Amino acid sequence: MTCTGIGTLRAPRAIALLAALLCTGCTAGAGSTGPGSTGPGNTGAGSAAPPPPAPAPEPLDRIAAALGCSPEVTVDAQEVREGACAVGAQAFRLATFSTARGRAAWLSESRQYGGTYLVGERWVITAPSADALAPARARLGGTLDSAPAHTHGAGAHPVVILTTQVSAPW
């Protein structure tokens, strides 16, 4: 007599058990402070000192002063400060960053909305045109950059994402 059903039940259970054990092993050492570990609290020989904290983003006041306005701060976080100000009818968005890498990530995301950017080492000013940024560029330096405006005109097609739930075979 053969029992073909038992062997087929054991394989999926064994795979599930193995996956659970592997996942537990991956996370068990994450907070470890024992010898040779790199977890928090380990001050043993050979462990590297934590990297120094990134500098705080520059206050928006200096950037806004180059435009001739006072900023209204909208975001005041450890890694980015953002705000807005206007000179007459001309509106500006300002952002300062704790790192050049943060600035690059912000620019990468904001390009999808279009606009003109005056980009410094750790700051960005946005405006509708390069002419509007000329006075700030004369005072602060920086590089002019622009991205085409994103429109939803008559030729735009909506994006539809369909998802299907997939059940496990066991």
Side-chain angles (χ1 to χ4, degrees):
M1 177 169 113
T2 61
C3 296
T4 57
I6 293 174
T8 58
L9 287 177
R10 286 185 186 167
R13 286 183 183 166
I15 291 171
L17 178 62
L18 181 60
L21 290 173
L22 288 174
C23 289
T24 302
C26 293
T27 59
S32 176
T33 58
S37 76
T38 58
N42 184 10
T43 57
S47 64
E58 184 174 335
L60 295 172
D61 297 336
R62 182 178 82 86
I63 305 296
L67 293 165
C69 60
S70 296
E72 180 181 325
V73 177
T74 56
V75 176
D76 190 2
Q78 183 177 353
E79 62 280 342
V80 63
R81 285 193 179 109
E82 291 185 48
C85 68
V87 177
Q90 187 63 59
F92 299 94
R93 297 285 307 163
L94 321 168
T96 59
F97 307 90
S98 58
T99 64
R101 185 175 182 177
R103 183 215 60 210
W106 186 92
L107 274 170
S108 177
E109 288 295 317
S110 66
R111 286 185 199 285
Q112 66 184 321
Y113 302 106
T116 303
Y117 306 89
L118 180 60
V119 182
E121 184 178 341
R122 293 189 306 135
W123 54 267
V124 175
I125 304 171
T126 65
S129 70
D131 290 340
L133 293 168
R137 187 174 187 205
R139 292 182 185 105
L140 299 171
T143 305
L144 284 174
D145 192 6
S146 64
H150 180 75
T151 60
H152 290 287
H157 299 282
V159 175
V160 177
I161 299 173
L162 300 175
T163 59
T164 304
Q165 185 174 1
V166 179
S167 59
W170 54 86

